Amino acid sequence: MDIKDQLVTLGVERGGVLVVHTSFSAIAPVDGGPAGLIGALRDVLGPDGTLVMPSMSDDDDHPFDVAKTPCRGMGIVAETFRQLPGVLRTDNPHAFAAIGPRAAEITRPQPVEIPHGLDSPVGRVYELDGQVLLLGVGHDANTTVHLAENLAGVRYGIHHYATILENGAPRRVEYREIDHCCEGFAQLDEWLGDRQRRGAAGHGTARLMRSRDVVDAALRHLRENAEVFLHEPGVCEECDEARR
């Protein structure tokens, strides 16, 4: 089956807002490579749809440049996407990139100190009732879960810094990010139940869900156990650091 047909069968909404996290190696080969996959996603969304992908900086020590700073850690599809004509990108080290009618709204400026709050690209996709598509990756790559943690007011986090340009001069910004190993996000597979659709994508697998369903499911469990996503103490160094 053609990947466009697979995406339609999965339930990608024409004219909707779609944030995509992908590992191209997990679904390849796809006709046309990464650019072919992006083209298929845009064709399925149609001219009234908006495609969104993570575009975070891999470099904390040099000032973020919206046009030049790569996002290779997000994968070859995201790195290809940010460079395409017409794609907008958040002018922020926590960047997302987008193209379509809602792209400017989704990529408008956000606070550097709060990477995944309501006033961020994932928060705006949530408020627009967008969908989340995981192509060849699990929920450990699903940034929307961090939005739920932010809304729940979890107390854990890890100290980070980013370098931005301010009045033409570099400035180091220190902040506390809700961060850990993210392995516990796999629990969303069970929690979402039939609110998550799974199927084939290329030569791999895909998960599709609504952003609001992710947040609602995660919030429900976070309110019962504020550390539901963390390993038990002594099991995982990242989770232990977040607790400290």
Side-chain angles (χ1 to χ4, degrees):
M1 183 183 291
D2 180 86
I3 193 164
K4 287 193 284 188
D5 294 332
Q6 291 173 327
L7 294 169
V8 171
T9 299
L10 194 63
V12 173
E13 294 178 346
R14 190 168 184 82
V17 175
L18 180 70
V19 58
V20 177
H21 299 273
T22 183
S23 168
F24 188 72
S25 63
I27 63 170
V30 174
D31 287 347
L37 174 59
I38 295 165
L41 288 162
R42 294 192 64 191
D43 285 347
V44 172
L45 285 167
D48 296 326
T50 301
L51 179 60
V52 187
M53 292 190 189
S55 196
M56 294 88 164
S57 170
D58 303 321
D59 185 352
D60 296 328
D61 294 312
H62 294 87
F64 179 80
D65 185 316
V66 66
K68 297 179 181 178
T69 300
C71 63
R72 297 187 189 97
M74 299 297 102
I76 186 60
V77 178
E79 176 65 6
T80 300
F81 181 62
R82 74 158 184 93
Q83 299 177 74
L84 292 178
V87 171
L88 304 181
R89 190 184 190 195
T90 323
D91 188 8
N92 185 297
H94 313 305
F96 275 70
I99 192 167
R102 312 307 289 263
E105 178 180 355
I106 290 167
T107 61
R108 71 179 186 267
Q110 71 169 102
V112 176
E113 295 84 357
I114 308 175
H116 309 306
L118 277 177
D119 191 14
S120 74
V122 290
R124 294 159 196 163
V125 171
Y126 165 81
E127 293 187 314
L128 291 168
D129 194 22
Q131 293 180 297
V132 178
L133 177 62
L134 306 177
L135 291 174
V137 296
H139 285 285
D140 57 327
N142 188 352
T143 311
T144 299
V145 190
H146 285 310
L147 170 63
E149 292 177 303
N150 188 287
L151 293 174
V154 298
R155 297 177 61 190
Y156 52 80
I158 295 176
H159 290 283
H160 292 283
Y161 67 89
T163 306
I164 63 171
L165 282 177
E166 190 173 84
N167 299 320
R171 180 170 76 89
R172 175 168 159 154
V173 179
E174 297 191 5
Y175 61 96
R176 175 182 164 278
E177 182 174 357
I178 297 171
D179 197 6
H180 46 89
C181 76
C182 300
E183 287 182 6
F185 288 177
Q187 296 172 96
L188 267 297
D189 280 325
E190 178 184 348
W191 298 348
L192 285 168
D194 60 8
R195 290 180 293 171
Q196 172 178 258
R197 300 189 65 174
R198 300 181 71 161
H203 288 74
T205 59
R207 296 167 170 84
L208 180 73
M209 68 231 71
R210 307 207 77 80
S211 173
R212 290 181 181 179
D213 286 338
V214 173
V215 172
D216 289 349
L219 277 177
R220 184 168 66 253
H221 289 271
L222 283 165
R223 286 166 180 155
E224 294 172 357
N225 175 7
E227 296 185 0
V228 69
F229 290 130
L230 301 185
H231 283 100
E232 291 297 316
V235 173
C236 169
E237 185 175 338
E238 285 184 79
C239 291
D240 287 348
E241 182 182 355
R243 268 199 194 84
R244 287 194 294 270

